[in-house]
Amino acid sequence: MPPAAVHLLPNIAGHVGSDITAMMLAAGIDKLRGNHVAIDIGTNGEVVAVRDGEMVCCSTAAGPAFEGACIRSGMRAAAGAIERVDVIDGDLSIAVIDDAPPLGLCGSGLIDAIAALLNCGALLPSGRLLMKEEAANLPPAIAARIVEENGAPAFLLATTAVGTPILLTQQDIGEVQLAKAAILAGIRTLLQELGISEDVLDSVLLAGAFGNYIRRESALAIGLLPAVSAEKIIPIGNAAGAGASMALLSLDERKRAAELAAAARHIELSMNEVFQEFYISAMQFGS
């Protein structure tokens, strides 16, 4: 077998790796005019913000909640995962991947479920799920789904084919609060670094598989993303894979990737007081 050349795209910083360089390349982020944010939501929520070509980036410790980990009934986005949740005519409506019997809850369904409970009043912006005795003003079918799990309220989304309850627990809600607060606080820290506010953003680009399937309205309802109009939130698919392909096939794009990584200014969040203040305020759902 003949030898092959291996090319590695450059990292930007410790937790902002070459996949983000590839994402920036595919998104043409250096060529965008105006104010934009690109996000890869995962265990590390990497964020890039750009203002007329000036780029800043960070990595937030979002945790694995959106990937189904640390969630009682969490699972990856596979057959049997609840991927969509709505409250319609006073009752819960779910959609399951491949129309299979429900087995658990994936990331997009998790965000949907929390947004739906916020909208119907079963969940408070503070993150507290109502107890059954507090649910008198809720639609009866919704109130009936509030149960107790280990002394705390939980919400029954569905049952499996063998009768195992698929629950959204108070602890699950807390995990999502921590993750969404980290991502939103990271975004706001970068925007402040650029001297701009959320209301002047021209687009919010969501990279990766999760970004493709997340419902924009639900992400906005829980306060995961900046408060922009839904049409400004644009899924860009597997941008890291696309960027890697571009760099593989073109010497010019490979050079441009190196220039992007060098030009992006990294903001360290671990001891950043601005981030800490934003993080605390972003713990509330919807903010």
Side-chain angles (χ1 to χ4, degrees):
M1 180 180 292
V6 176
H7 300 280
L8 301 177
L9 293 180
N11 288 343
I12 298 172
H15 294 287
V16 185
S18 58
D19 56 335
I20 304 307
T21 302
M23 176 193 77
M24 293 165 65
L25 181 65
I29 204 163
D30 55 326
K31 300 177 181 178
L32 297 176
R33 296 299 93 188
N35 308 304
H36 305 269
V37 168
I39 314 165
D40 188 350
I41 300 175
T43 301
N44 286 318
E46 292 101 346
V47 184
V48 181
V50 58
R51 178 185 184 182
D52 291 328
E54 180 185 358
M55 296 173 289
V56 291
C57 63
C58 69
S59 174
T60 69
F66 296 133
E67 297 166 341
C70 302
I71 302 300
R72 184 192 188 279
S73 299
M75 63 178 287
R76 67 186 183 90
I82 297 172
E83 62 174 343
R84 184 162 181 155
V85 178
D86 291 287
V87 173
I88 300 174
D89 296 331
D91 200 0
L92 201 71
S93 173
I94 64 171
V96 181
I97 295 177
D98 291 344
D99 292 322
L103 295 173
L105 185 66
C106 69
S108 61
L110 177 63
I111 291 177
D112 263 9
I114 290 177
L117 295 185
L118 280 168
N119 289 337
C120 75
L123 179 64
L124 301 179
S126 65
R128 187 174 73 82
L129 189 62
L130 295 186
M131 303 288 288
K132 184 174 283 290
E133 57 268 24
E134 299 175 299
N137 293 327
L138 297 181
I142 296 296
R145 291 178 176 271
I146 298 176
V147 297
E148 188 174 298
E149 172 79 359
N150 298 325
F155 192 83
L156 178 65
L157 296 168
T159 55
T160 68
V162 296
T164 303
I166 299 173
L167 296 175
L168 180 68
T169 69
Q170 186 66 70
Q171 183 174 339
D172 296 338
I173 294 166
E175 294 287 345
V176 174
Q177 278 185 287
L178 294 173
K180 83 94 182 171
I183 290 170
L184 185 59
I187 294 169
R188 288 175 170 169
T189 302
L190 295 187
L191 295 182
Q192 179 160 309
E193 192 71 25
L194 291 175
I196 58 178
S197 57
E198 296 175 34
D199 59 353
V200 300
L201 283 173
D202 296 297
S203 73
V204 176
L205 309 178
L206 297 182
F210 183 70
N212 265 356
Y213 290 103
I214 185 174
R215 195 155 29 151
R216 296 174 295 181
E217 293 80 6
S218 295
L220 290 169
I222 74 168
L224 171 62
L225 300 176
V228 300
S229 57
E231 61 268 19
K232 289 185 177 182
I233 300 171
I234 305 169
I236 58 174
N238 183 8
S245 298
M246 291 166 64
L248 179 66
L249 296 172
S250 168
L251 288 172
D252 287 341
E253 296 293 355
R254 203 176 305 161
K255 178 183 177 183
R256 188 164 145 251
E259 292 170 348
L260 280 169
R265 183 161 51 94
H266 176 247
I267 306 299
E268 176 59 52
L269 300 182
S270 59
M271 301 296 290
N272 190 304
E273 292 184 1
V274 172
F275 171 76
Q276 296 298 333
E277 291 177 7
F278 281 137
Y279 182 74
I280 292 169
S281 63
M283 285 291 290
Q284 287 273 116
F285 283 120
S287 65

